[in-house]
């Protein structure tokens, strides 16, 4: 946008004419800086003007740019604004300290003190310039009058006009039929009158501005009056309208906007969408710039079939803390317009189970705070809570950020954590309290950690290291919890009530390890000795044997991780490569860790805490899992499995880039014959693990291929596998293909009619592929072969220019609103068309399209970064 300080500078340059300074008036015409101006009447100029009618705005189309300039602009842009070179004397000096110079075809000093400059007037003072056909300076009235083809320049800005008047005493100025360009921001526009007040404000009457290219102005802001205050870095507009394709779209009787990069309070563009369940969903956000370190976004929201609510996002930044808070509320929810829900209610299912939130006040709270400024202490709060488990599936959020990097409708729980840590040279202390809100109605709540305390030490002496880890955790849960859900959608009498008792506990764990970490160019050898203690203090409520309320176990372990590196040079199809061979051996021997007291501790085998599993599960088996010192993710078990893991990796490496052209890894674990503990039992008859294989390849810098296979050699079955291809190049061509398989036993509903669970077999193909520099195709197909149905289909177009970007997207996806009630076979589909329009440099409409694409197409966000 046009900045007031630059108008002020131009006015001051002209105003200096009334002061007694040395003037150099040339009798020859000054050479204009632009070739077109120097040859305005020539055939060459006419040809240039016909070829580039916007040369007067310093605009050059792409085909007229030098190659090095074409490389500086995005392929979606048709040209750029280029300032002419300033090659006159004192061109790089500040105006305040530079002499005033003027040239013209003729000049006269009249007896009344008026100075007249005629023909090709060129006035300079430092980096300020002025061109005009005629300039009259009236010293008595302290006024300068400019007429003809007026051209005013400062670095980064050009202003043209038909006539101008400058008051040299107050520095106020007015320009008639003004046209302006701000080169760096690619902003340009015009005004019937432009005036600079003595207070420093710039007022554009019947003015407009845009960031579109001059030959393709898709949008512009046009106003009765636009005021710019460059001191306060803000502007106001009265009776302005937004025109898109010359069609008025929005009218604003009054609006404020920032000048430059400064934030400023004001209404943002509304978010508008529609769906079968909610009807029209409209949010009108207001941005409040409270202070330089604090702001807020307030969004009133209207949902046709649910009601009216409000959303709030506030941010605060201080020397010690960064805080973001989000609130959303919808009082007295009308329940939506869901055909499936109405059908279930009509069949006799309780409305309070099918639509539990109908008539209720619904809300969402989120607090995300990080404390510390790089010193020894650090704090973190990550707290999210909703009024009911269906909140995100029913409402999502219109303008607030989702509490995860996945679709908020797919969330299964919400994290509620607060922690503080202190880090010294060798020690780290951490205190954490953590809970989870369960969003699945047929699952019990997990245990809370109130609190968890860790004190860990780390000492190193050359290749030797000593690690001292201490942890104390208090696990808390209500003693008894009851949940209610629909077990069979075909039976209105299948409403199930389930009750579970929970055993609370305090857990202490100590891990001390001492080892040698030795590495050479040809290999590594890392032996380590570890001592582990694990003990509990259990609540006597629901214990099978109250006398066994302090079970404990301890073990001593020896582990050795070792490997070798072999490599050779090779050549294939005239392409050099380096091949490596990397065998790896991992050994673990453990003393007997009797953990039988951890199993079957409760009065009922289905009670929570029966096997003292509070935060522990088995790692998903993979090639990397072969070399872990524990199979457990959590501290409720001591890994007592004596084992030897063998692995072999080979790589083909590009010696120039260091990129892995191809890498393959295979391995397996071999166990001793002794029994070992799993999560809830002891096992003896599994002498070896599954066979793990992994393939990775980067044949080019743009293409990545990866695959993993878990094979059970005893049963000759594949338990898990996947293959993924990712492609993204500098021309913004994006393509993804993936397939994954997970072996699961088939399970049907009580009537043996519907498949409730089966092996996971899913394929996913997605792309964002440009047809030309501006038009791209967007697509995704995610298909489930187990249930023979699509999970999500996307298809759309993207048109992107320097001025605007628009996306049109069709989407078909499973309706998960009744996922806790309806079997997978009976889930219905949602289908809709979404439109997004972003006016670059102004605002956007329909931001949900970007979220859908980022969540559905892998690497889409990276593509967006590359395009900037």
């Amino acid at each position: 946008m046009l900045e007031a300080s630059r108008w002020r500078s131009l006015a001051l340059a002209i105003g200096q004419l009334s002061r007694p300074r040395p003037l150099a008036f040339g009798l020859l015409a000054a050479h204009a800086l632009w070739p077109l101006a120097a040859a305005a009447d020539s055939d060459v100029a006419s040809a240039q003007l016909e070829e580039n009618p916007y040369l007067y705005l310093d605009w050059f189309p792409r085909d007229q740019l030098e190659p090095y300039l074409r490389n500086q602009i995005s392929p979606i842009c048709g040209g750029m604004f280029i300032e002419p070179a300033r090659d006159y004397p004192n061109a790089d000096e500040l105006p305040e300290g530079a002499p005033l110079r003027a040239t013209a075809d003729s000049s006269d000093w009249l007896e009344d003190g008026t100075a007249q400059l005629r023909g090709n007037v060129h006035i300079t003072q430092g980096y300020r310039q002025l061109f005009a056909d005629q300039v009259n300076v009236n010293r008595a009235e302290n006024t300068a009058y400019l007429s003809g083809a007026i051209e005013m320049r400062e670095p980064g800005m050009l202003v043209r006009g038909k006539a101008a008047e400058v008051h040299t005493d107050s520095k106020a100025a007015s320009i008639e039929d003004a046209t302006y360009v701000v080169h760096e921001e690619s902003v340009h526009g015009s005004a019937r009158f432009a005036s600079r007040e003595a207070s420093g404000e710039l007022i554009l009457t019947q003015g407009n501005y845009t960031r579109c290219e001059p030959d393709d102005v898709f949008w512009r802001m046009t106003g009765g009056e636009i005021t710019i205050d460059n001191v306060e870095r803000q502007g106001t507009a009265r009776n302005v309208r937004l025109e898109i394709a010359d069609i008025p779209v929005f009218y604003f009787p009054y609006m404020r906007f920032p000048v430059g990069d400064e934030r400023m309070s004001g209404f943002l563009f509304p978010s508008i969408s529609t769906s079968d369940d909610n009807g029209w969903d409209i949010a009108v956000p207001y941005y409040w710039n409270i202070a330089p370190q604090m702001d807020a976004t307030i969004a009133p929201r209207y949902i046709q079939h649910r009601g009216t609510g409000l959303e709030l996002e506030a941010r605060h930044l201080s020397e010690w803390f960064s805080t973001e808070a989000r609130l959303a509320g919808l009082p007295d929810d009308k329940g939506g317009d869901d055909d499936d829900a109405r059908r279930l209610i009509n069949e006799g299912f309780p409305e309070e189970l099918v639509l539990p939130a109908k008539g209720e006040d619904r809300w969402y709270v989120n607090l995300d705070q990080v404390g510390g400024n790089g010193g020894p202490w650090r704090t973190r709060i990550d707290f999210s809570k909703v009024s009911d488990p269906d909140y995100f599936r029913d409402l999502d959020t219109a303008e607030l950020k989702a509490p995860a990097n996945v679709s908020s409708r797919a969330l299964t729980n919400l994290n509620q954590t607060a922690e503080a840590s202190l880090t010294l040279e060798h020690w780290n202390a951490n205190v954490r309290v953590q809970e989870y809100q369960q969003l699945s109605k047929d699952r019990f709540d997990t245990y809370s950690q109130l609190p968890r305390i860790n004190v860990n030490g780390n000492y190193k002496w050359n290749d030797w290291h000593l690690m001292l880890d201490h942890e104390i955790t208090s696990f808390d849960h209500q003693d008894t919890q009851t949940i209610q859900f629909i077990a069979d959608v075909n039976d209105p009498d299948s409403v199930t009530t389930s009750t579970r008792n929970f055993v609370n506990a305090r857990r202490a764990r100590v891990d001390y390890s001492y080892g040698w970490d030795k590495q050479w160019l040809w290999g590594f050898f890392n032996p380590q000795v570890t001592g582990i203690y694990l003990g509990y203090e259990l609540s006597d409520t629901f214990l099978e044997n109250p006398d066994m309320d302090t079970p404990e176990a301890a073990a001593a372990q020896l582990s050795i991780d070792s490997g070798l590196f072999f490599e050779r040079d090779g050549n294939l199809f005239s392409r050099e490569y380096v091949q490596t061979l990397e065998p790896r051996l991992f050994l673990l021997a453990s003393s007997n860790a009797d953990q039988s007291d951890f199993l079957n501790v409760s009065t009922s085998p289905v009670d929570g805490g029966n096997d003292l599993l509070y935060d522990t599960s088995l790692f998903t088996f993979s090639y990397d899992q072969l070399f872990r010192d524990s199979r457990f993710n959590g501290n409720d078990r001591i890994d007592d499995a004596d084992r030897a893991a063998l692995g072999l990796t080979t790589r083909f490496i590009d010696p120039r880039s260091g990129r892995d052209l191809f890498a393959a890894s295979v391995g397996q674990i071999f166990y001793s014959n002794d029994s070992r503990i799993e999560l809830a039992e002891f096992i003896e008859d599994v002498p070896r693990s599954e066979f793990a294989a992994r393939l990775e390849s980067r044949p080019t810098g743009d293409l990545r291929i990866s695959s993993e296979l878990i094979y059970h050699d005893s049963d000759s079955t594949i338990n898990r596998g996947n293959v993924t291809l990712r492609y993204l190049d500098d021309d913004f061509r994006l393509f993804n293909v993936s397939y994954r398989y997970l072996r699961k036993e088939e399970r049907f509903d009580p009537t043996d009619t519907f498949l409730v669970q089966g092996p996971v077999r899913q394929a996913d193909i997605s792309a964002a592929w440009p047809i030309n520099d501006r038009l791209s195709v967007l697509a995704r197909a995610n298909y489930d072969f187990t249930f023979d149905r699509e999970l999500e289909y996307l298809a759309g177009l993207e048109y992107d220019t320097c001025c605007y970007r628009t996306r049109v997207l069709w989407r078909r996806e499973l309706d998960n609103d009744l996922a806790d009630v309806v079997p997978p076979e009976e889930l219905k589909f949602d289908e809709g068309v979404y439109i997004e329009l972003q006016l670059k440099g102004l605002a956007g409409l329909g931001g949900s399209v970007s979220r859908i694409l980022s969540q559905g197409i892998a690497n889409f966000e990276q593509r967006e970064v590359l395009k900037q």
Side-chain angles (χ1 to χ4, degrees):
M1 298 185 63
L2 194 57
E3 296 183 8
S5 63
R6 294 178 175 177
W7 286 87
R8 179 176 182 274
S9 301
L10 293 168
L12 288 174
I14 299 174
Q16 295 296 327
L17 286 172
S18 63
R19 300 186 180 182
R21 287 175 176 257
L23 298 178
F25 295 108
L27 297 180
L28 298 178
H31 292 286
L33 297 178
W34 237 210
L36 179 63
D41 298 325
S42 67
D43 294 338
V44 175
S46 299
Q48 287 180 328
L49 191 60
E50 183 177 352
E51 184 178 355
N52 180 14
Y54 301 102
L55 184 61
Y56 73 98
L57 292 176
D58 294 348
W59 171 258
F60 287 83
R62 175 182 287 274
D63 57 6
Q64 295 184 14
L65 296 174
E66 296 292 335
Y68 78 94
L69 290 174
R70 284 199 294 268
N71 294 333
Q72 294 179 10
I73 62 175
S74 172
I76 63 176
C77 296
M80 65 187 304
F81 294 97
I82 304 177
E83 296 182 73
R86 300 191 306 275
D87 54 4
Y88 56 87
N90 310 113
D92 296 326
E93 295 183 14
L94 296 174
E96 290 76 8
L100 184 70
R101 302 176 185 272
T103 60
D105 290 343
S106 63
S107 60
D108 294 303
W109 290 96
L110 304 182
E111 294 182 358
D112 60 359
T114 301
Q116 294 182 341
L117 305 180
R118 298 288 186 273
N120 294 320
V121 180
H122 182 202
I123 302 174
T124 66
Q125 188 175 20
Y127 57 65
R128 294 174 184 150
Q129 295 186 82
L130 168 66
F131 295 90
D133 289 339
Q134 180 174 322
V135 178
N136 293 337
V137 180
N138 190 322
R139 298 186 62 183
E141 298 179 358
N142 295 320
T143 304
Y145 300 93
L146 296 81
S147 59
I150 299 172
E151 178 181 329
M152 300 180 178
R153 289 189 178 274
E154 280 194 11
M157 190 202 70
L158 163 68
V159 181
R160 295 182 180 273
K162 183 175 69 175
E165 178 180 337
V166 177
H167 295 276
T168 58
D169 52 353
S170 66
K171 307 304 184 289
S174 61
I175 300 174
E176 183 180 347
D177 291 339
T179 302
Y180 65 89
V181 176
V182 183
H183 298 81
E184 185 176 355
E185 288 78 14
S186 298
V187 172
H188 63 96
S190 62
R192 183 67 184 90
F193 294 99
S195 62
R196 179 200 175 275
E197 301 300 309
S199 60
E201 292 181 332
L202 175 67
I203 300 177
L204 303 176
T205 304
Q206 300 179 25
N208 62 76
Y209 70 91
T210 183
R211 282 192 59 184
C212 296
E213 297 171 348
D215 57 349
D216 185 19
V217 179
F218 178 74
W219 67 267
R220 64 165 61 90
M221 287 295 297
T222 301
E225 183 177 277
I226 301 174
T227 302
I228 299 174
D229 188 339
N230 201 44
V231 177
E232 299 294 333
R233 304 293 292 169
Q234 64 182 12
T236 58
R238 294 173 174 83
N239 299 321
V240 295
R241 64 185 182 273
L242 170 64
E243 296 180 353
I244 297 179
D246 295 326
I247 299 175
V249 176
F250 287 105
Y251 170 77
F252 301 94
Y254 177 82
M255 69 175 298
R256 303 174 67 199
F257 55 91
V259 176
D261 297 329
E262 299 294 328
R263 298 174 296 138
M264 188 174 177
S265 302
F267 281 99
L268 306 178
F269 276 80
S271 172
I272 303 174
S273 63
T274 182
S275 66
D276 294 335
D277 293 347
N278 291 340
W280 286 101
D281 188 342
I282 303 172
V284 183
Y286 179 83
Y287 176 76
W288 183 14
N289 185 28
I290 303 172
Q293 73 282 1
M294 185 186 305
D295 62 11
T297 302
I298 306 168
R301 184 180 181 187
Y302 167 75
I303 305 175
Q304 182 180 1
H305 299 314
R306 293 195 179 274
T308 302
L310 185 70
E311 299 182 354
L312 168 67
E313 179 181 55
R315 302 183 300 177
H316 178 258
L317 181 64
S318 69
E319 181 181 359
W320 302 103
F321 294 97
S322 172
T323 306
E324 296 185 11
R326 302 174 185 90
L327 303 172
L330 180 71
D332 193 16
D333 186 358
K334 297 178 182 178
D337 185 21
D338 193 322
D339 293 337
D340 292 330
R342 280 199 300 269
R343 176 178 59 83
L344 292 175
I345 294 172
N346 291 335
E347 291 176 357
F349 288 91
E351 184 180 38
E352 62 270 15
L353 291 183
V354 179
L355 295 175
K358 184 177 181 181
E360 300 293 329
D361 296 336
R362 311 187 72 181
W363 47 266
Y364 161 57
V365 178
N366 171 253
L367 176 63
D368 189 354
Q369 183 183 78
V370 177
N373 60 353
W377 66 273
R378 184 179 182 273
T379 63
R380 175 67 190 270
I381 299 176
D382 182 5
F383 181 90
S384 297
K385 191 174 181 65
V386 290
S387 56
D388 57 271
D390 293 324
Y391 182 88
F392 289 112
R393 278 181 285 193
D394 291 346
L395 300 174
D396 207 332
T397 52
E399 290 297 323
L400 310 184
K401 292 189 295 186
N405 292 326
V406 297
S407 173
S408 55
R409 295 180 58 164
L411 291 173
T412 59
N413 57 69
L414 293 178
N415 185 32
Q416 300 168 357
T417 301
E419 63 180 321
S421 62
L422 177 65
T423 302
L424 303 177
E425 181 180 3
H426 297 293
W427 288 89
N428 173 266
N430 180 275
V431 179
R432 177 198 302 172
V433 293
Q434 185 171 36
E435 292 184 335
Y436 288 97
Q437 182 181 6
Q438 186 63 251
L439 300 184
S440 298
K441 289 175 285 188
D442 57 352
R443 297 180 183 178
F444 291 96
D445 293 336
T446 58
Y447 281 89
S448 304
Q449 299 182 24
L450 303 174
R452 176 172 182 154
I453 302 173
N454 292 86
V455 179
N456 302 326
N458 189 347
Y459 291 87
K460 288 187 177 182
W461 305 273
N462 297 322
D463 297 327
W464 297 90
H465 63 265
L466 172 66
M467 302 184 68
L468 309 170
D469 296 342
H470 312 80
E471 178 249 304
I472 298 177
T473 306
S474 178
F475 293 100
D476 184 72
H477 197 290
Q478 57 181 321
D479 291 340
T480 301
Q481 183 184 3
T482 300
I483 60 175
Q484 191 176 42
F485 56 93
I486 298 174
D488 183 3
V489 71
N490 296 309
D491 182 6
D493 297 326
S494 66
V495 176
T496 301
T497 299
S498 181
T499 300
R500 177 174 292 182
N501 300 321
F502 292 84
V503 177
N504 294 322
R506 283 193 293 271
R507 183 185 69 195
R509 176 155 176 156
V510 177
D511 290 52
Y512 286 179
S513 62
Y514 183 70
W516 186 44
D517 185 2
K518 187 61 179 178
Q519 300 188 28
W520 302 272
L521 292 176
W522 48 267
F524 62 93
F525 184 68
N526 303 331
Q528 183 169 280
V529 178
T530 303
I532 304 174
Y533 168 80
L534 174 61
Y536 294 87
E537 183 179 329
L538 306 178
S539 171
D540 292 341
T541 307
F542 309 126
L543 283 185
E544 179 73 28
N545 184 358
D547 294 333
M548 299 294 294
D549 58 356
T550 57
E552 58 184 8
Q557 296 179 345
L558 171 65
S559 65
I560 300 176
D561 191 7
S562 59
L564 297 173
F565 304 120
F566 302 95
E567 66 178 50
R568 69 181 183 90
D569 296 329
N571 190 292
L572 182 64
F573 302 116
S574 301
R575 184 169 185 176
E576 296 180 351
Y577 66 86
V578 175
Q579 183 187 5
T580 70
L581 192 65
E582 306 168 24
R584 186 173 180 181
L585 172 65
F586 178 82
L587 302 172
L588 177 68
S590 177
S591 65
N592 181 28
D594 184 4
Q595 302 172 70
S596 59
D597 291 342
F598 297 164
L599 307 179
N600 300 316
V601 301
S602 178
T603 54
S604 172
V606 298
D607 286 344
N610 180 58
D611 295 321
L612 302 187
L613 291 172
Y614 296 102
D615 64 356
T616 302
S617 61
L618 284 170
F619 278 110
T620 300
F621 187 70
S622 66
Y623 180 79
D624 291 331
Q625 176 60 26
L626 298 175
F627 311 107
R628 292 183 183 271
D629 57 9
S630 178
R631 296 166 291 133
F632 302 109
N633 179 17
N635 287 334
D636 288 312
R637 295 290 183 267
I638 298 176
D639 193 338
D640 60 352
D642 295 345
R643 60 186 181 269
L646 296 175
L648 180 64
T649 298
T650 183
R651 306 176 194 272
F652 292 83
I653 303 172
D654 184 346
R656 292 180 175 84
S657 66
R659 186 176 66 249
D660 283 354
L661 302 175
F662 177 80
S665 302
V666 294
Q668 194 170 23
I669 300 175
F670 298 88
Y671 297 102
S672 69
N673 294 326
D674 298 333
S675 65
R676 63 184 184 272
I677 194 169
E678 288 293 311
L679 289 176
E681 61 180 345
F682 288 92
I683 59 174
E684 297 180 356
D685 56 350
V686 182
R688 60 185 179 272
S689 73
E690 301 158 305
F691 185 82
R694 182 174 65 192
L695 302 177
E696 295 178 318
S697 176
R698 291 193 62 188
T700 69
D702 304 322
L703 177 63
R704 299 187 180 190
I705 304 172
S706 63
S707 179
E708 190 169 38
L709 184 71
I710 305 300
Y711 177 75
H712 199 297
D713 56 350
S714 299
D715 298 339
S716 300
T717 57
I718 296 176
N719 286 348
R720 182 164 55 87
N722 64 73
V723 59
T724 301
L725 181 148
R726 300 275 188 263
Y727 180 84
L728 176 61
D729 62 20
D730 294 335
D731 294 324
F732 317 121
R733 293 179 294 187
L734 187 158
F735 183 71
N736 306 297
V737 179
S738 66
Y739 177 84
R740 70 187 186 103
Y741 171 81
L742 178 62
R743 183 186 178 194
K744 285 187 177 182
E745 297 297 328
E746 291 187 347
R747 182 166 57 87
F748 291 83
D749 71 332
T751 65
D752 288 332
T753 303
F754 297 109
L755 181 66
V756 176
Q757 175 184 287
V760 176
R761 295 178 297 167
Q762 296 179 359
D764 196 338
I765 302 175
S766 59
W769 201 265
I771 299 175
N772 54 43
D773 289 338
R774 295 187 172 184
L775 183 64
S776 298
V777 174
L778 310 171
R780 184 197 186 195
N782 188 14
Y783 196 83
D784 186 339
F785 293 96
T786 301
F787 293 97
D788 193 21
R789 67 186 179 188
E790 62 267 32
L791 299 176
E792 183 179 46
Y793 282 170
L794 297 175
L797 293 174
E798 173 189 80
Y799 188 76
D800 196 3
T801 73
C802 264
C803 169
Y804 69 97
R805 180 177 65 193
T806 183
R807 292 173 177 148
V808 179
L809 187 68
W810 168 80
R811 184 189 196 189
R812 176 180 168 89
E813 64 169 343
L814 278 178
D815 184 357
N816 291 317
D817 288 352
L818 297 176
D820 296 331
V821 176
V822 178
E825 288 282 357
E826 289 197 356
L827 286 176
K828 304 299 183 181
F829 291 90
D830 274 343
E831 190 171 343
V833 176
Y834 304 83
I835 299 176
E836 177 182 82
L837 176 62
Q838 179 186 356
L839 308 179
K840 297 185 179 181
L842 190 62
L845 293 168
S848 60
V849 175
S850 294
R851 294 197 297 271
I852 294 172
L853 294 172
S854 297
Q855 294 162 2
I857 301 179
N859 289 335
F860 189 82
E861 289 186 348
Q862 185 178 351
R863 172 183 179 264
E864 295 293 275
V865 173
L866 290 176
K867 293 188 70 173
Q868 292 180 356

